[in-house]
Amino acid sequence: RCLKIAHNKVLEASIAENKASLKRTHTEVWSDSPNPHDRKRIDSCPVGLKNVGNTCWFSAVIQSLFNLLEFQRLVLNYSPPARVHDLPRNQKEHRNLPFMQELRNLFSLMVGSKRKYVDPSRAVEILKDAFKSSESQQDVSEFTHKLLDWLEDAFQMKAEEDREGEKPKNPMVELFYGRFLAVGVLEGKKFENTEMFGQYPLQVNGFKDLHECLEAAMIEGEIESLHSAENSARSGQEHWFTELPPVLTFELSRFEFNQALGRPEKIHNKLEFPSMLYMDRYMDRNREITRIKREEIRRLKEHLTLLQQRLERYLSYGSGPKRFPLADVLQYAMEFASSKPVCTSPVEDIDSSAPPGGTTGQHSGPASGPTTAPTAAQQQRVPIHKPFTQSRLPPDLPMHPAPRHITEEELRVLEGCLHRWRSEVENDTRDLQGSITRIHRTIELMYSDKSMMQVPYRLHAVLVHEGQANAGHYWAYIYDPHQRCWMKYNDISVTKSSWEELVRDSFGGYRNASAYCLMYINDKKPFLIEEEFDKETGQILSGMDKLPADLKLYVKEDNELFDKEIEEWDILQARKAQQEKLALATAAAAAASAASSTSTSSSSPHTPSIPPPDLVTEDECPGQHTVEVAIPNVGTFVIESEEGGYDDEAMMTPNMQGIIMAIGKSSCVYEKNGPEAAFFKAIKLEYARLLRFAQEDTSPENDYRLQHIIVYFIQNQAPRKILERTLLTQFADRNLAFDERYLIKSYLVTSVSLYQMWHQDYRNFRETTVFMTTGLELFQKANYVEALMYLIYSYQYNKELLSKGLYRGHDEELLGHYRRECLLKLNEQAAAMFESGEEPDVSTGLGIMNELVVPCIPLLLAHDIEGDLLAVEDMRNRWCSYLGQEMESNLQEKLTDFLPKLLDCSTEIKSFHDPPKLPAYSTLELCERFSRIMSALGRVHADGR
């Protein structure tokens, strides 16, 4: 049956998605950007597909098919059978036709949507429903084949209706299916069978390139009897293509079953494939010439093997375990013979009979004459090795070995022989290498003549799998013929790529990524990728013009919804901007009024005074007293005080100390010019002090922003009125009740929303600092489980602060480093627990991964930071390495269930913990703790750890 390929589940095992993973319903916290402009399609860039729960396989396959424009046209212009209601109401028709409609809807959005990426949930759910009756895990290839099966069924129903009485043509079959002739011998009897094929499976193990895989796939068993007159009992067959489909798809079988472990394993070997593939050598019409060339290649390879064996003897000479190039051996011998002869033995200066601790005996050379025989006592002495003394060579002994005796004649003859032999060996080695290179080149060019380059297929798409046999992530590289470049389709992300990047990720041997499917298209059939033309105008149809009427309406409605979302967002932002604009205008007017009052205060005869205590009236709020004080040309102040005494901690903060100092310095002005002048003098002194702090370059541990909100506002260029009002409120602090001249709080005509916004930003900064400080303290104590959430939220909140300005938050690299390190530490702990094999530890380790590490991985993948990407790769590799190890079946089951979650590369956050509860830090305590932890981190980095 068309598009139903025999599929070996064991050899083709890939990512397992059980029922639980298909039904994830976690709430998304940081998923789609709330700003629809971030989700807006830029010009005519390709549309991505949202990963709706381990559906990267769906995205890779659909994008590859969608970018086959002929396939795209077939899907978009599909219409269900007119008599669909008369068809038997079986499960297939209730499933295939709805799926076909959802696929049309999805394709139409991919053509004309204004969104950067679209949601394929409806089509995916129909596919997944087909497997709900099964309790076993399903793999990706089953979903892929099911998708193609349903497409064929849908088009078959339509074809049968359109061609009543005729043999219907199924466009899916015409596009993806070809035929081959199986020629062979079975138990001595010859046979020929024609068979249909779709996705052609190729084994990878043991081959270096695609042609070697194809050659092996075209020949099965022993086929010598095909070419001989004798009738043997051997069996075998050859495959010859009689008809190739326009779209030629190869499934690369990178999975094999490990009998010892009882599970599939992935093959990571490197396998090269060309961007242009010529299929002539596999065609039935070229059967005879191909057989001749194959025989010639076989003969050349046999000769090549002999030459390589001979070369190996030259390059690895010797009979022992250690071997060396023969030319080098001859060179070493020549160097030895040419060394200066010596007459001294390297051990003659060591007297083994000398008593312990005594001196060595006299040196005796060859000409020293007979020596006295040793006594019995001397014979019984045990020689003592004295390193660095007795083993020291005499000054006249050379450091390298040299001949004892060699005459000039001997040296001349030996050097002549060695020179000649070495030259002969080098020439032979070069000849062998040259012959090997020529044979390789001959084999490479065997099919390069024009007659064998008439069936060109160009690489259209490469579907890549990263991971192991039981778990992984999928994406696709697809060639864009109009831009003449490769595009990488990775779920919602669609980016320009290159052949070099494709090679790195697809050939294998690099990380755990490699191609599992290659899609080639007939280069002589441009209609496969050509745009459609308008029959009347001759113009290329693009965008919405491609779509039939019903899909135009569908896309138009979706675009209107998106436009409405953008419009509502813009209105909201415009309203906020208008409020801020009005607030700034009001603040500017108030500032001008305040400036005017300052310039006239010295000549004003009116000097306000603080009302005496008997004028203070109690309001409706018990425990709090207020008095209004009018200052000319400035505004109305409200004195606020609370019963209950003073806050000693607040009195000791740098903030309060500065205000008290300013009050003290302005006391003389108070005596001379009254309270108003003294008040403004104190404010001016305090502002000048804080301005100096804001302009200082300080160490990370001495952050003045934490000590005073005004420093934070100055560094972030807050409006002047916000600075003025905030400064005034400092003098209304109840801790200043010892000097009621300055206990006032300003309620000038200032935008409440703008004032609240800036103070809320500062509260967010302090909150982020508390998260950061607490997280780093816990990290320093190796309490990584508790530290993680503080570091995660501090990084996220800090990033939001920094998006408003450079000085709104803390060092992003520092927080990113410790967030990453905390995850790596937790991964290491969890892996060690899993390795123990003990049930409680295994459950705890997997719990750490599922509840803490896995939800955080998308955060590391979101911004393509190199350190974060490498950390994720390290964590995944650690767990993938367990797949090749022996372990109990229950551990294997848990690992197989866990790995898909770890290897899912979606950058969307589907679930996350609530922020941890913040400890209550006073300003003084927060500054001290922040300074302490930053100093400790500074020492760590200074030590290089």
Side-chain angles (χ1 to χ4, degrees):
R1 180 171 165 76
C2 302
L3 284 171
K4 291 180 172 63
I5 308 304
H7 177 61
N8 187 327
K9 293 183 182 179
V10 172
L11 294 179
E12 296 300 314
S14 54
I15 185 172
E17 293 185 304
N18 56 32
K19 290 179 69 178
S21 67
L22 299 182
K23 293 177 166 183
R24 292 182 184 171
T25 55
H26 300 310
T27 11
E28 296 186 0
V29 178
W30 295 322
S31 54
D32 291 345
S33 170
N35 184 351
H37 290 282
D38 295 338
R39 294 179 271 117
K40 190 174 181 179
R41 186 179 181 182
I42 302 173
D43 299 327
S44 57
C45 289
V47 175
L49 292 177
K50 189 175 182 178
N51 190 321
V52 291
N54 289 345
T55 56
C56 47
W57 57 271
F58 181 87
S59 300
V61 173
I62 288 297
Q63 292 284 19
S64 301
L65 294 174
F66 173 81
N67 281 280
L68 283 170
L69 297 187
E70 177 63 12
F71 179 86
Q72 182 189 119
R73 283 188 286 271
L74 287 170
V75 170
L76 291 174
N77 293 300
Y78 176 84
S79 58
R83 297 196 298 247
V84 65
H85 298 294
D86 299 332
L87 295 172
R89 298 176 62 83
N90 57 31
Q91 186 180 12
K92 180 197 300 182
E93 284 139 16
H94 276 282
R95 197 166 52 196
N96 298 358
L97 294 179
F99 172 76
M100 196 67 212
Q101 185 56 46
E102 290 301 337
L103 189 63
R104 291 182 71 237
N105 292 342
L106 182 61
F107 271 28
S108 68
L109 291 176
M110 294 167 72
V111 168
S113 179
K114 294 182 178 181
R115 304 175 191 266
K116 186 185 294 185
Y117 56 88
V118 294
D119 189 335
S121 296
R122 292 181 180 178
V124 172
E125 286 305 319
I126 296 175
L127 266 178
K128 288 180 178 178
D129 282 343
F131 297 91
K132 281 188 176 179
S133 60
S134 172
E135 294 298 326
S136 61
Q137 294 177 340
Q138 310 298 333
D139 63 47
V140 170
S141 295
E142 289 186 64
F143 281 117
T144 306
H145 289 138
K146 183 64 64 178
L147 181 149
L148 295 176
D149 283 352
W150 288 5
L151 287 172
E152 180 208 346
D153 289 339
F155 277 94
Q156 187 68 22
M157 284 187 278
K158 181 64 176 173
E160 289 172 355
E161 180 185 70
D162 293 344
R163 293 175 176 256
E164 292 186 3
E166 300 180 26
K167 186 177 180 180
K169 285 189 176 182
N170 190 317
M172 290 292 108
V173 177
E174 299 289 322
L175 199 58
F176 292 105
Y177 272 77
R179 297 178 183 276
F180 67 83
L181 185 67
V183 182
V185 175
L186 179 63
E187 296 179 355
K189 295 182 180 180
K190 295 184 179 181
F191 67 86
E192 287 192 5
N193 294 324
T194 299
E195 298 181 28
M196 182 174 283
F197 73 94
Q199 299 173 76
Y200 203 83
L202 295 175
Q203 293 298 320
V204 168
N205 205 7
F207 307 110
K208 68 175 184 179
D209 60 39
L210 186 62
H211 277 299
E212 286 192 1
C213 296
L214 274 166
E215 289 281 355
M218 303 300 280
I219 302 174
E220 298 179 9
E222 300 183 52
I223 57 169
E224 287 84 352
S225 55
L226 286 173
H227 316 305
S228 63
E230 299 178 2
N231 187 8
S232 70
R234 293 178 176 177
S235 297
Q237 63 176 319
E238 292 177 328
H239 291 175
W240 299 96
F241 293 120
T242 56
E243 181 183 347
L244 289 174
V247 181
L248 180 58
T249 305
F250 296 113
E251 287 187 351
L252 303 182
S253 301
R254 281 192 169 271
F255 305 97
E256 62 182 8
F257 193 78
N258 187 320
Q259 295 288 349
L261 298 178
R263 63 170 180 264
E265 291 183 337
K266 186 175 178 182
I267 301 166
H268 294 293
N269 300 350
K270 184 176 182 180
L271 182 81
E272 298 180 3
F273 49 84
S275 58
M276 186 66 74
L277 177 68
Y278 293 95
M279 294 294 293
D280 302 75
R281 69 184 82 175
Y282 310 109
M283 302 302 295
D284 182 56
R285 62 175 177 266
N286 295 324
R287 189 194 304 186
E288 295 307 318
I289 188 171
T290 299
R291 282 176 174 169
I292 294 171
K293 289 180 179 293
R294 284 179 180 171
E295 179 60 27
E296 178 64 13
I297 289 174
R298 186 191 62 78
R299 187 187 64 79
L300 287 172
K301 286 186 174 179
E302 288 179 353
H303 186 45
L304 183 64
T305 301
L306 292 175
L307 292 176
Q308 288 172 333
Q309 290 174 349
R310 187 171 298 174
L311 177 63
E312 184 64 19
R313 296 190 185 101
Y314 277 95
L315 298 179
S316 299
Y317 185 79
S319 56
K322 291 185 178 181
R323 303 189 178 195
F324 306 92
L326 179 54
D328 291 348
V329 173
L330 295 172
Q331 177 66 25
Y332 300 152
M334 189 161 55
E335 291 173 0
F336 174 78
S338 303
S339 300
K340 181 181 179 181
V342 295
C343 299
T344 306
S345 168
V347 296
E348 286 179 349
D349 65 322
I350 302 173
D351 185 0
S352 62
S353 64
T359 59
T360 58
Q362 298 293 322
H363 294 283
S364 57
S368 62
T371 59
T372 307
T375 65
Q378 290 173 329
Q379 289 177 341
Q380 293 176 356
R381 291 173 184 159
V382 179
I384 297 177
H385 176 63
K386 296 182 179 181
F388 312 119
T389 57
Q390 291 180 348
S391 297
R392 188 179 294 118
L393 298 179
D396 61 335
L397 190 66
M399 293 300 295
H400 301 288
R404 296 286 186 82
H405 303 286
I406 186 168
T407 65
E408 292 292 333
E409 181 64 24
E410 289 173 336
L411 181 59
R412 186 168 59 253
V413 172
L414 186 58
E415 283 186 338
C417 291
L418 291 173
H419 273 296
R420 184 175 71 254
W421 295 338
R422 185 170 183 270
S423 178
E424 291 172 357
V425 168
E426 289 176 341
N427 289 336
D428 289 347
T429 301
R430 276 195 299 270
D431 290 345
L432 286 168
Q433 290 172 334
S435 297
I436 289 171
T437 301
R438 284 192 295 274
I439 290 176
H440 277 302
R441 184 64 176 160
T442 302
I443 292 173
E444 289 174 4
L445 298 175
M446 187 63 70
Y447 295 100
S448 61
D449 53 287
K450 289 186 178 180
S451 64
M452 300 299 284
M453 300 176 71
Q454 298 302 307
V455 188
Y457 273 78
R458 185 177 59 75
L459 187 62
H460 164 70
V462 180
L463 279 67
V464 179
H465 173 269
E466 180 181 26
Q468 297 294 339
N470 293 319
H473 176 62
Y474 296 82
W475 67 88
Y477 289 101
I478 304 172
Y479 188 72
D480 185 333
H482 307 292
Q483 297 189 67
R484 297 186 178 181
C485 71
W486 286 94
M487 303 291 291
K488 182 177 181 179
Y489 290 79
N490 192 353
D491 290 332
I492 65 173
S493 171
V494 182
T495 55
K496 278 191 176 183
S497 185
S498 64
W499 175 253
E500 290 72 26
E501 184 181 4
L502 183 152
V503 165
R504 186 196 66 189
D505 287 348
S506 306
F507 279 10
Y510 174 78
R511 301 191 302 183
N512 292 322
S514 54
Y516 79 94
C517 182
L518 306 176
M519 193 177 289
Y520 285 88
I521 58 176
N522 192 322
D523 203 43
K524 290 187 175 180
K525 295 183 177 180
F527 71 90
L528 292 169
I529 53 173
E530 277 186 351
E531 295 284 2
E532 192 176 1
F533 289 85
D534 186 282
K535 295 178 181 178
E536 297 180 0
T537 64
Q539 299 293 320
I540 293 178
L541 295 176
S542 61
M544 298 283 280
D545 294 335
K546 287 182 173 185
L547 305 179
D550 63 323
L551 293 181
K552 279 183 181 177
L553 180 61
Y554 178 80
V555 176
K556 182 182 178 182
E557 290 175 351
D558 185 76
N559 284 339
E560 287 174 353
L561 286 174
F562 189 57
D563 286 339
K564 185 178 180 182
E565 184 182 355
I566 292 175
E567 183 181 352
E568 290 174 352
W569 172 268
D570 290 342
I571 291 172
L572 178 63
Q573 299 309 306
R575 187 180 297 125
K576 288 181 179 179
Q578 185 65 24
Q579 289 173 351
E580 291 184 9
K581 187 176 180 181
L582 290 172
L584 289 173
T586 306
S593 175
S596 173
S597 70
T598 302
S599 63
T600 60
S601 62
S602 59
S603 59
S604 175
H606 176 75
T607 303
S609 60
I610 302 299
D614 60 334
L615 294 181
V616 177
T617 58
E618 190 170 311
D619 65 4
E620 295 179 359
C621 300
Q624 181 171 346
H625 304 280
T626 64
V627 166
E628 293 187 355
V629 179
I631 296 181
N633 302 317
V634 176
T636 300
F637 292 88
V638 179
I639 302 175
E640 292 186 352
S641 65
E642 294 182 5
E643 296 178 351
Y646 304 115
D647 184 344
D648 292 335
E649 187 278 328
M651 291 290 288
M652 294 304 296
T653 62
N655 168 19
M656 195 57 61
Q657 291 171 3
I659 294 173
I660 294 171
M661 290 173 61
I663 291 173
K665 290 180 180 179
S666 64
S667 59
C668 59
V669 178
Y670 178 83
E671 298 296 335
K672 292 180 181 180
N673 301 315
E676 183 180 351
F679 175 70
F680 284 112
K681 176 65 175 178
I683 286 181
K684 185 176 180 181
L685 288 171
E686 176 64 358
Y687 179 76
R689 180 180 76 93
L690 298 174
L691 181 61
R692 286 197 302 272
F693 287 161
Q695 294 172 342
E696 282 184 16
D697 290 329
T698 59
S699 57
E701 61 267 21
N702 189 24
D703 195 331
Y704 287 127
R705 293 175 300 171
L706 289 175
Q707 299 174 13
H708 207 299
I709 188 174
I710 298 296
V711 175
Y712 183 85
F713 285 171
I714 293 173
Q715 289 188 349
N716 290 288
Q717 300 177 346
R720 179 179 175 183
K721 185 53 62 178
I722 302 298
L723 291 173
E724 291 175 350
R725 178 169 176 174
T726 305
L727 258 177
L728 289 171
T729 62
Q730 306 300 312
F731 288 82
D733 193 293
R734 61 191 177 90
N735 292 286
L736 295 176
F738 69 92
D739 192 337
E740 63 180 8
R741 293 171 299 175
Y742 300 97
L743 187 61
I744 56 177
K745 184 170 185 179
S746 167
Y747 280 101
L748 296 175
V749 184
T750 306
S751 168
V752 174
S753 62
L754 182 63
Y755 182 80
Q756 290 175 341
M757 180 190 74
W758 275 94
H759 280 261
Q760 182 58 52
D761 280 356
Y762 186 69
R763 282 192 290 273
N764 292 343
F765 170 70
R766 277 181 57 94
E767 186 176 274
T768 301
T769 306
V770 175
F771 273 118
M772 174 182 176
T773 304
T774 308
L776 292 175
E777 287 174 343
L778 291 168
F779 183 90
Q780 288 285 80
K781 296 174 183 176
N783 191 346
Y784 306 118
V785 171
E786 289 189 32
L788 180 63
M789 285 301 106
Y790 287 101
L791 293 174
I792 289 293
Y793 275 94
S794 64
Y795 183 90
Q796 186 68 21
Y797 292 159
N798 191 65
K799 193 169 190 67
E800 293 172 7
L801 287 171
L802 293 178
S803 67
K804 298 181 179 180
L806 180 62
Y807 299 104
R808 294 292 185 106
H810 296 284
D811 185 347
E812 186 173 21
E813 288 187 10
L814 176 76
L815 275 173
H817 170 79
Y818 282 98
R819 179 184 70 163
R820 180 168 61 244
E821 287 299 309
C822 192
L823 283 167
L824 287 170
K825 295 285 188 184
L826 284 172
N827 186 76
E828 188 65 27
Q829 286 182 358
M833 291 178 179
F834 183 82
E835 288 175 5
S836 72
E838 299 295 331
E839 181 58 34
D841 288 344
V842 170
S843 297
T844 302
L846 290 177
I848 289 173
M849 295 302 296
N850 284 319
E851 296 172 18
L852 296 176
V853 178
V854 170
C856 294
I857 282 181
L859 298 177
L860 299 188
L861 297 174
H863 302 290
D864 290 333
I865 298 172
E866 183 179 5
D868 289 346
L869 298 179
L870 291 174
V872 172
E873 183 181 337
D874 288 344
M875 288 188 281
R876 287 173 171 164
N877 287 342
R878 176 66 183 270
W879 289 90
C880 285
S881 67
Y882 296 140
L883 289 171
Q885 300 178 19
E886 294 187 12
M887 64 181 69
E888 298 293 335
S889 59
N890 64 319
L891 292 182
Q892 179 63 44
E893 184 179 345
K894 289 181 178 181
L895 181 65
T896 303
D897 178 59
F898 162 67
L899 276 178
K901 304 168 190 174
L902 179 67
L903 294 170
D904 181 10
C905 283
S906 170
T907 56
E908 293 184 59
I909 309 302
K910 298 183 175 60
S911 65
F912 215 68
H913 293 258
D914 292 331
K917 188 175 181 180
L918 288 179
Y921 285 176
S922 66
T923 299
L924 187 62
E925 185 183 9
L926 178 58
C927 290
E928 289 177 351
R929 289 196 172 188
F930 181 80
S931 178
R932 191 159 52 242
I933 191 63
M934 293 305 291
S935 297
L937 297 183
R939 287 194 297 272
V940 168
H941 290 290
D943 293 340
R945 293 191 294 272

